Amino acid sequence: MKDHVYKLIELTGTSTTSIEDAVNNAIKRAHKTVKNLCWFQVIETRGNIDKGKVHHWQVTIKVGFTVAD
């Protein structure tokens, strides 16, 4: 078993539907250009309000991926 080296990037996903969708949108987009995604950690959750209701979610995550050999 070899020892892995990881890199972290910070992303902010958005959604008008839910926090989970915002996270999924960020990971889905990162997956298009970043290889070896392994895990994520939610750093911050925020949103804006329109007419007394949540209008838009923004979720900042750190995403870890394995650095290729």
Side-chain angles (χ1 to χ4, degrees), residues 7-21:
K7 179 158 178 71
L8 290 173
I9 57 173
E10 191 169 288
L11 305 168
T12 300
T14 64
S15 173
T16 56
T17 307
S18 69
I19 293 168
E20 186 176 328
D21 275 353

Side-chain angles (χ1 to χ4, degrees), residues 1-3 7-9 12 16 23 27 30 37-38 40 42 46 62 67-68:
M1 178 180 204
K2 66 179 181 175
D3 295 323
K7 179 158 178 71
L8 290 173
I9 57 173
T12 300
T16 56
V23 170
I27 292 171
L37 297 176
C38 296
F40 73 94
V42 174
R46 62 187 172 275
K62 284 188 179 180
V67 176

Side-chain angles (χ1 to χ4, degrees), residues 43-56:
I43 302 302
E44 183 177 20
T45 304
R46 62 187 172 275
N48 70 338
I49 302 167
D50 185 29
K51 298 178 184 171
K53 294 183 180 180
V54 174
H55 181 256
H56 207 96

